[in-house]
Structure formats: structure tokens, C-alpha cells
Amino acid sequence: MAQPIIITQSGHYHYQQTEPSDLLIYVLCLSSADIDIEVEQTVPNAQVDIRALAYISNKDCARIHTHVRHLASKGTSHQTVKFVLNDEATGEFFGDLNIAHGAQQIDAQQTNRNILLSDNAQMRTRPQLVIYADDVKASHGASTGQLDETALFYMQQRGIGVETAKQMLLKAFVQDVLPLTLDGVVEHLQQRLLELGLTEEV
Amino acid sequence: MKLLEIKNLHASIAGKEILKGINLTINAGEVHAIMGPNGAGKSTISAVLTGHPAYTVTEGQVLLNGKDLLAMPAEQRAREGVFLSFQYPVEIPGVSMTNFLRTAVNEKRQYEGKEPLKATEFLRLMREKKQLLEMAEKLDNRAVNEGFSGGEKKKNEIFQMAMLEPCLSILDETDSGLDIDALRIVASGVNKLKTPNNASIVITHYQRLLDYIVPDFVHVLADGQIVKTGDKSLALELEEKGYEWLNQ
């Protein structure tokens, strides 16, 4: 696996896979940001994996847009995008997936899951799949909700305080998208993760 | 010694009254069975005693070792020694059994003013309890209840009970969905954990479980009230005659 790309700041990021390569992209937003990622696969057997987490509070607004274009056959794209929104924060995910005419045997998966920690937080999500080939696997799913109340009660019934229980559930929610000890995550982001209780001091 | 005193307990959910004046005293060392038809309020008793947020207590009092149980948040009731074996144990993806139980055990220890268990001490305790219950399952590295079979979930509840050493355990329909082998293992676990200092409430629809966990008292709940109390023979009588018999 090639060295992952780590995106933590606003911008338009464009990648073209012109050889059968593996591309791994991590996105981490801990305050307002506007991130636009474009991936184009122009040769067969290219793979891209996008794993994004936005965890924001106050009146921050995080936008993550992905555009994945499969122009050749046998390509793979897996996207997992998660938002955790507190206070009056707003999140936006736009997932644009395009499988071109003749790009057969594509495996494309897009998952967007969001947790609202406050009644005033807002999430907008818009998956958009445009498929011109007929022999492909493409799936997408989006869900937005609160922390699982039945899980919280179960944990409290075992003596776990409600704040600790919430922290454990949030950590579980985010850690399958990002390895939280990721090398290259800049220092102030590590510090924020530590404050949020999502990572431990190394 | 009085462990639990329920006095004239009334409770409702979404404005509908379910419990209509429950009176029940449980002493240390006793096993009480609560039986009754569907909708009688059996599971509501466990929900109210453990502090489930959906239920409102409208009248009455519950004392645990003389302390006002209803004034405590759910986690404090658990730390005071109330344990519920859930009818439907909850799956928690991404939280390992080890992390979950270690947090639970240590939060209880902290509440009692004890030092938290170190990792090695904790693992030793887990091994001991597993041996005691003769559970072969390797649950430690799996997420809490995730992908567990029905039997594994119920065994896991009893395992958690062994780890937390409650003074009052409530087994809510623990027999539902269990085959006879799993039922035996679960029941023998409950029996092994019995001491003169703790007590259990066994909520069940059927008499079958009570062949394995023998109650000192059997209470019949109907329409939110205890309508009859007897010894274990009452359970057999109910099995034979059905609940309709009580209305005659």
C-alpha cells in the first residue's frame, strides 16, 4: 500500500490514477473547512479508498465533497465519510460517483454516517450515483442520528457514567474510519483529538 | 436483612399507567420469581428499578439497603449493586468486551473508594469468573454482543453479572430464546453466584426456568399489581391451569 495522503485543510484536491495503483486518502476536519476531492481512474485495476471524518462544534461548518470518476474497467472505490456535529455545527457531504460508459466490473461503495450531538446541529447529505455501465457493483448508504440510546442505557446499567459511555460510543464511531494515531496528522489536530477524548497521549 | 423494599410503586410510560401499586420486600439470600401474562408489567418492574429513562414513577418508594433507589441515576443504581440481565442484550459495535467490562468494574470500584484494577489483575479476574461459570466462549476481543448468538448473549449477561458481583440481580426473561443446554449453563451460573448476601428477581413467563433456578417465592403479576404470592408450587399450578384461572 502506498503512503496515505492526509488532508486536513480546505482546498480542491485532484488525483488522477494513470496506472493500476492503490490510493489511500484520509480526511480529518476538526473545524470549519471546505474540502473538495476529485479522483479519476483512467486505467483498469486502480483502487481508491477515501476515509473522512469531520468532528466539529460551535457554529463551524464542514463541507466534504467527493467526485470519483471511473473511466476504465475493474476499478474499485470505497468511501467512508463520517460527521460528528455538536452545538450549532453544520455538516455537508456531497458524494458524486460517476461510472463511465464501458467501465465494467467496477466495485464502488459509498457510506456516509453522521451523529448529531445537539438538537441544533445540522447535516446535509447528498449521494449522487451516475452509472453508464451495466456490469458494476455500486452501493451507497447514508444515515444521520443521535448516539444509540439503548446502548447508552445498557452501559449505564453496568455502572458506566453517562459521559464516559458517550465518549466510548463516539470513539467507536470514529475509529473505524481513521486510525487515530495516524502518522502525519499535524500536531494541533492530535491535540484536538486528545481534548475530545478520541485518542490517548502517546 | 431487608435488601429491597418496594412500597406502593406506580409507574407509567408515555402517560399510560403500567404499575398500579406494587408492594414487595426482598431479603438477602432470597430468590423471588415474578410471573404473569404478557402485558402485566413484568418488564416494567425491571425497567423502573434500573432507572430506564422512558418510565416515570408517579407514586411510591423503593429502598435498596435503606437508600432511596429512585433518586439515583441509572449508573449509580448499578454501582450500588443492581444488575439487570437484559431480555434483549444490546450490541455495541466498536467497543470491545474487555474495554467495556473493565470500565464498568473500575467505575464501580471508584464509587466504592477502591483502587482501579490493573490490566493484569483484571484479566485474571475475567479468567476466574469464566472458569467458575464453565464458559468456554472467547468473548474478550469481540465487540459487546456483536454477532453473538442468542445463547451467547444470555451467557454473556451472566458473565457480566459474575464480574460485577451485584447484591440484587434481575433476570428479565433470561430463558427466552434459549435452548435447553444454554438454559442449564445460564441457570447453573446464576446458582453459583448465589450467596447469603445477595438476592435475585427472576422474571419469567414460563415455569421451565424455575426448575433450574428454584425460587423461595413466586409472585403473580396481573394488570400492574401482585395478585397472588406463594412458594414454588404456585409456579407449577400456573403452568397447569394458565393465568386465566386467577381471574375466576
Side-chain angles (χ1 to χ4, degrees):
Chain A
M1 184 65 76
Q3 192 66 18
I5 293 161
I6 300 168
I7 296 172
T8 60
Q9 285 178 351
S10 295
H12 180 87
Y13 300 85
H14 181 258
Y15 306 96
Q16 202 165 33
Q17 292 183 277
T18 54
E19 52 188 287
S21 54
D22 287 347
L23 184 61
L24 176 58
I25 303 170
Y26 286 113
V27 180
L28 180 60
C29 285
L30 295 173
S31 58
S32 288
D34 199 340
I35 291 169
D36 209 30
I37 298 168
E38 205 178 333
V39 177
E40 241 176 25
Q41 296 182 345
T42 58
V43 294
N45 298 307
Q47 299 185 26
V48 61
D49 198 347
I50 301 174
R51 306 178 149 266
L53 171 69
Y55 193 131
I56 55 171
S57 321
N58 307 314
K59 292 189 174 182
D60 285 1
C61 175
R63 290 192 195 91
I64 299 176
H65 292 199
T66 62
H67 309 271
V68 175
R69 282 184 239 296
H70 291 279
L71 302 175
S73 295
K74 295 181 183 167
T76 303
S77 62
H78 290 175
Q79 303 182 54
T80 307
V81 178
K82 291 188 175 183
F83 285 74
V84 180
L85 303 170
N86 206 349
D87 306 325
E88 293 173 53
T90 308
E92 182 180 294
F93 171 62
F94 176 41
D96 164 30
L97 175 78
N98 192 300
I99 301 180
H101 185 76
Q104 304 293 5
Q105 292 168 35
I106 300 296
D107 175 3
Q109 298 171 18
Q110 186 191 85
T111 307
N112 171 225
R113 290 184 59 205
N114 314 302
I115 287 184
L116 306 179
L117 295 176
S118 126
D119 291 341
N120 298 316
Q122 273 191 56
M123 180 69 208
R124 287 192 286 269
T125 179
R126 188 154 69 94
Q128 179 175 293
L129 279 65
V130 180
I131 300 168
Y132 293 107
D134 54 12
D135 178 20
V136 301
K137 261 202 306 198
S139 65
H140 73 93
S143 67
T144 298
Q146 287 157 335
L147 284 175
D148 182 351
E149 304 243 326
T150 60
L152 275 179
F153 180 67
Y154 188 74
M155 296 171 92
Q156 283 177 274
Q157 210 307 299
R158 298 304 184 240
I160 300 175
V162 69
E163 287 310 314
T164 308
K166 283 182 180 173
Q167 207 56 53
M168 289 170 79
L169 291 178
L170 276 177
K171 203 168 165 176
F173 179 77
V174 305
Q175 76 193 359
D176 76 312
V177 63
L178 284 189
L180 294 171
T181 51
L182 204 60
D183 277 350
V185 172
V186 288
E187 205 169 289
H188 78 274
L189 291 176
Q190 287 283 21
Q191 188 55 40
R192 279 281 290 139
L193 287 171
L194 195 63
E195 284 162 22
L196 293 166
L198 298 175
T199 184
E200 274 122 42
E201 201 128 24
V202 188
Chain B
M1 197 190 80
K2 281 179 187 172
L3 186 71
L4 184 78
E5 290 171 87
I6 302 176
K7 298 173 184 168
N8 190 32
L9 183 64
H10 290 249
S12 61
I13 183 165
K16 186 174 187 297
E17 191 174 48
I18 309 287
L19 299 184
K20 301 172 179 174
I22 302 281
N23 291 288
L24 181 62
T25 299
I26 295 180
N27 297 305
E30 293 176 350
V31 175
H32 290 243
I34 296 180
M35 302 184 72
N38 286 329
K42 299 191 297 294
S43 287
T44 302
I45 294 182
S46 64
V48 168
L49 292 179
T50 53
H52 192 286
Y55 294 85
T56 311
V57 173
T58 51
E59 211 183 320
Q61 196 186 27
V62 179
L63 300 177
L64 179 78
N65 292 315
K67 293 180 194 165
D68 181 0
L69 189 69
L70 300 177
M72 302 175 193
E75 59 266 38
Q76 192 182 347
R77 300 184 195 195
R79 293 170 194 163
E80 286 281 347
V82 177
F83 180 91
L84 172 61
S85 170
F86 283 66
Q87 183 175 3
Y88 304 108
V90 182
E91 300 194 7
I92 313 178
V95 176
S96 75
M97 269 312 297
T98 309
N99 183 22
F100 172 74
L101 264 179
R102 192 171 169 207
T103 307
V105 167
N106 280 339
E107 293 224 351
K108 184 176 184 193
R109 289 179 66 89
Q110 188 183 22
Y111 181 76
E112 291 167 343
K114 295 178 187 162
E115 287 285 307
L117 288 183
K118 293 192 187 80
T120 49
E121 296 168 323
F122 176 75
L123 292 173
R124 192 184 311 133
L125 184 67
M126 290 234 293
R127 263 201 311 277
E128 280 170 18
K129 298 295 183 184
K130 247 198 255 180
Q131 272 168 7
L132 172 73
L133 301 176
E134 294 165 42
M135 288 188 184
E137 280 83 359
K138 186 114 186 67
L139 307 172
D140 327 11
N141 296 321
R142 295 168 69 181
V144 179
N145 293 321
E146 194 186 28
F148 287 24
S149 70
E152 282 177 328
K153 281 183 182 168
K154 294 299 171 82
K155 286 182 204 169
N156 190 30
E157 294 292 284
I158 306 305
F159 175 60
Q160 293 176 49
M161 179 174 147
M163 290 294 293
L164 292 164
E165 299 179 345
C167 63
L168 177 71
S169 34
I170 306 166
L171 308 173
D172 190 359
E173 306 272 2
T174 292
D175 47 340
S176 70
L178 285 191
D179 62 37
I180 200 75
D181 293 329
L183 182 69
R184 272 203 201 106
I185 293 172
V186 163
S188 107
V190 172
N191 290 330
K192 281 177 189 161
L193 298 173
K194 189 179 169 182
T195 75
N197 302 318
N198 62 26
S200 306
I201 298 175
V202 180
I203 294 172
T204 183
H205 194 80
Y206 301 105
Q207 189 270 336
R208 186 177 75 155
L209 180 65
L210 305 179
D211 286 340
Y212 298 95
I213 303 172
V214 180
D216 300 294
F217 299 94
V218 174
H219 309 279
V220 181
L221 193 68
D223 193 26
Q225 288 184 320
I226 292 175
V227 294
K228 201 168 174 64
T229 292
D231 61 14
K232 62 184 177 188
S233 63
L234 178 58
L236 291 166
E237 205 168 345
L238 284 168
E239 184 81 352
E240 194 183 319
K241 299 179 178 171
Y243 291 109
E244 276 301 306
W245 154 71
L246 292 164
N247 301 330
Q248 287 162 15

